[in-house]
Amino acid sequence: MTGDGPEPADGDDGQRLVEGTILRGREFEPVEGRVVVENGEIAAIEEEPVESDDIVLPAFVNAHTHIGDSIAKEAGGGLSLEELVAPPDGLKHRLLRQASTEEKIAAMHRSLEFMAEAGTAAHIEFREGDVDGVREIRAAGENVPVESVVLGRGSIDAMTASDGYGASGANDANFDRERAATGREDKLFGIHAGEVDSSDIDAAMDLDPEFLVHMVHPEPWHLDRLADAETPVVICPRSNLVTDVGLSPLPELLDRTTVALGTDNVFLNSPSMFREMEFTAKLFDVSATEVLRMATVAGADIAGLNCGLVEPGRSAELLVLDGDSHNLTGTKDVVRAVVRRAGVDDIRSVVR
């Protein structure tokens, strides 16, 4: 899914040059010029007039996914959140048990291919299925240019086999052992919290996680705890709307900590960061710059990745949009257009 225009050019010395309006740094300041790429890294940004309508921005980091659900897209209409996803017998868990290994791998592979084509560089995956589940997503991701930061669940062995542990929620089980083991291996520990109500938030925060997911229902003291601990939060607005649990207090969260954006369960929502950004920007009173930061560098920071920004020294994971597409031509505010208007059809290329 790329445009029909020219691909980024290779220089005479083997450098790769990406020209256009560059959304540079954490503020995504639009500057005209070229990005110089060497050996997969941004070597320089040369600010000067160029003959290109392209828009160059960092590729996305989807900070919370469950792509195992790819086997049953749009299943479970009308069910409550507990009926849909609660372990061990929510609909998704029953469907996953019924599916063969081959079916799950094939379905996840297709979702990862879509994510790659739609400009996603990496995602943080809470992976069901214990050690087997970790093996399945690794197999699904072979030859797909998306980095899967996989957080296993179900056992300490799943954590050891993956990049960390992704806990369901403090009301579901006691995760003290899993948290301690994850800390000993210096891996990521994330946990759902405050999705249905506030009853599991304190217990989740007591585990000192690297990040929390959802935080739809924080009380004022939870917001103070977030600020004191500097614990990042990943929000998933489309998912929360579909499951009718409410919406995270995004402006209040942004005032206190790092906030990233995730698309959550594939059987509820497409793993499209364009759709998640547009929905978030039009639903909440926050700036387009804040939303784009949530979709890129915030997730990269949580996962410890070097992508998410267009700056020298960063990995050259870039998304190039056609600024002269039918959808984007005439744009006056580039960042706002990227966040609120752009889509897969506007992609010229994805640079990796």
Side-chain angles (χ1 to χ4, degrees):
M1 297 181 184
T2 60
D4 296 326
E7 292 291 312
D10 290 334
D12 293 337
D13 55 1
Q15 294 175 333
R16 197 173 193 190
L17 308 177
V18 187
E19 297 186 341
T21 298
I22 303 161
L23 302 188
R24 180 173 188 173
R26 287 182 182 265
E27 297 303 318
F28 305 105
E29 176 190 2
V31 298
E32 189 177 1
R34 63 179 58 87
V35 181
V36 181
V37 177
E38 295 179 353
N39 300 317
E41 187 174 283
I42 298 172
I45 297 174
E46 300 173 347
E47 296 186 26
E48 61 183 47
V50 295
E51 295 183 3
S52 174
D53 294 313
D54 288 347
I55 301 167
V56 184
L57 63 145
F60 303 124
V61 178
N62 188 337
H64 184 64
T65 60
H66 294 272
I67 69 165
D69 305 351
S70 301
I71 59 170
K73 295 166 186 170
E74 302 307 320
L79 297 182
S80 69
L81 178 64
E82 183 174 2
E83 292 169 325
L84 284 167
V85 301
D89 293 319
L91 177 63
K92 68 174 275 181
H93 298 283
R94 299 199 307 272
L95 293 172
L96 286 170
R97 286 196 293 268
Q98 294 166 9
S100 70
T101 297
E102 293 74 20
E103 288 172 330
K104 287 183 283 187
I105 291 173
M108 287 191 290
H109 180 82
R110 294 293 295 271
S111 287
L112 287 167
E113 288 278 17
F114 171 82
M115 293 164 71
E117 293 172 355
T120 294
H123 70 119
I124 303 176
E125 167 74 6
F126 277 37
R127 184 70 191 112
E128 297 84 0
D130 213 298
V131 175
D132 287 341
V134 175
R135 292 173 179 150
E136 288 162 2
I137 191 170
R138 296 301 190 203
E142 289 182 2
N143 302 315
V144 181
V146 174
E147 182 167 358
S148 294
V149 179
V150 180
L151 305 189
R153 61 199 306 189
S155 73
I156 291 174
D157 286 342
M159 177 276 296
T160 300
S162 65
D163 302 302
Y165 196 90
S168 57
N171 287 345
D172 295 332
N174 183 309
F175 293 103
D176 288 344
R177 290 181 62 252
E178 290 84 354
R179 179 64 185 105
T182 307
R184 286 194 298 270
E185 295 200 21
D186 195 25
K187 293 184 176 183
L188 282 176
F189 183 90
I191 185 169
H192 298 77
E195 187 173 8
V196 176
D197 56 39
S198 63
S199 63
D200 61 354
I201 297 177
D202 278 317
M205 296 191 73
D206 287 345
L207 292 167
D208 190 26
E210 271 72 44
F211 65 101
L212 300 165
V213 180
H214 294 304
M215 289 294 279
V216 175
H217 299 284
E219 301 290 349
W221 66 86
H222 296 137
L223 297 174
D224 291 340
R225 288 192 69 179
L226 281 177
D228 291 342
E230 299 181 341
T231 305
V233 172
V234 179
I235 70 166
C236 308
R238 286 188 300 155
S239 173
N240 296 153
L241 184 70
V242 170
T243 57
D244 197 29
V245 298
L247 293 169
S248 303
L250 178 55
E252 290 83 357
L253 292 172
L254 283 168
D255 282 344
R256 291 164 173 84
T257 191
T258 297
V259 182
L261 206 57
T263 60
D264 207 3
N265 301 76
V266 172
F267 80 153
L268 298 176
N269 297 292
S270 69
S272 167
M273 293 300 282
F274 284 115
R275 289 191 177 188
E276 204 71 40
M277 285 197 306
E278 180 180 6
F279 187 84
T280 302
K282 293 182 177 179
L283 189 64
F284 296 99
D285 184 19
V286 296
S287 71
T289 297
E290 288 171 318
V291 174
L292 186 54
R293 193 179 296 125
M294 289 165 62
T296 54
V297 68
D301 286 347
I302 289 171
L305 302 175
N306 193 39
C307 57
L309 285 181
V310 186
E311 282 288 11
R314 288 276 179 164
S315 298
E317 304 277 357
L318 305 174
L319 181 57
V320 183
L321 303 181
D322 179 4
D324 194 38
S325 69
H326 295 316
N327 185 37
L328 296 179
T329 188
T331 288
K332 303 302 182 185
D333 185 324
V334 177
V335 176
R336 187 176 171 90
V338 167
V339 169
R340 299 170 67 98
R341 173 177 296 272
V344 173
D345 290 343
D346 299 306
I347 295 177
R348 174 86 77 191
S349 63
V350 183
V351 178
R352 306 180 191 277

